[in-house]
Amino acid sequence: MFDIALYEPEIAPNTGNIMRLVRNNGCRLHLIEPLGFSLEEKKLRRAGLDYADFGRISVHHDYPAFLQAVAGQRLFACTTKGSRPHHQPAYQPGDVLLFGPETRGLPDEVLAAVAPEQRIRIPMQPDSRSLNLSNAVAIISYEAWRQQDFAGAQ
């Protein structure tokens, strides 16, 4: 369906929650190293509740290796600096939703390589800074899936 990519994620429970999420919404997960934790970490497994289906998870040594793996797919940078609300793009199966690390977001050089219309944001109140990473992934991935009429769901 869709690909979720976490650029240098830092917090094991967030990634574990996202592992559980993709197990339920049919997305594939890409983890871009370096990671701020070990994939064997107990907090990661507990948050993922053993849904960590590693057949649907790819780990990439660095960002260029990730880009090579998803070459030919549309990439959306999910960022508070996005120029477009997340519900406006017409998502297509195979699109990649790229999220930055919890404490700093996507680096400027990554954002600069993504077309402005593919830098998306979740609308928030003016005095809010950001959402939890796993919440942001849920909001955007479910909007993309909704646009596909929840294909494959029961």
Side-chain angles (χ1 to χ4, degrees):
M1 181 56 62
F2 297 99
D3 287 66
I4 305 296
L6 305 182
Y7 180 94
E8 301 181 3
E10 300 166 327
I11 301 172
N14 281 336
T15 299
N17 287 337
I18 294 165
M19 292 167 90
R20 183 176 186 181
L21 174 76
V22 301
R23 177 75 166 125
N24 284 284
N25 70 9
C27 292
R28 289 174 297 277
L29 181 61
H30 298 265
L31 302 176
I32 303 165
E33 293 181 323
L35 309 179
F37 50 85
S38 163
L39 288 174
E40 300 303 315
E41 201 165 308
K42 182 190 282 187
K43 290 179 183 177
L44 178 75
R45 290 193 318 270
R46 182 173 42 238
L49 294 177
D50 297 324
Y51 287 144
D53 178 4
F54 284 96
R56 297 188 61 79
I57 298 172
S58 300
V59 180
H60 305 279
H61 178 67
D62 56 21
Y63 190 65
F66 161 74
L67 288 177
Q68 185 175 7
V70 298
Q73 294 175 255
R74 282 196 315 172
L75 187 138
F76 289 89
C78 304
T79 172
T80 57
K81 300 171 187 171
S83 56
R84 193 172 179 198
H86 76 286
H87 66 280
Q88 288 184 350
Y91 297 104
Q92 303 165 12
D95 284 347
V96 179
L97 307 172
L98 175 65
F99 296 82
E102 292 89 340
T103 61
R104 58 190 193 280
L106 290 168
D108 290 339
E109 62 272 12
V110 169
L111 289 174
V114 177
E117 66 274 8
Q118 288 178 220
R119 294 181 216 152
I120 57 175
R121 61 180 165 72
I122 298 169
M124 294 182 288
Q125 294 295 311
D127 59 346
S128 296
R129 195 182 72 198
S130 65
L131 287 166
N132 172 278
L133 177 61
S134 59
N135 290 337
V137 172
I139 290 167
I140 295 175
S141 66
Y142 268 79
E143 171 58 23
W145 194 24
R146 182 198 66 79
Q147 289 184 16
Q148 304 305 309
D149 200 26
F150 298 106
Q154 300 184 14

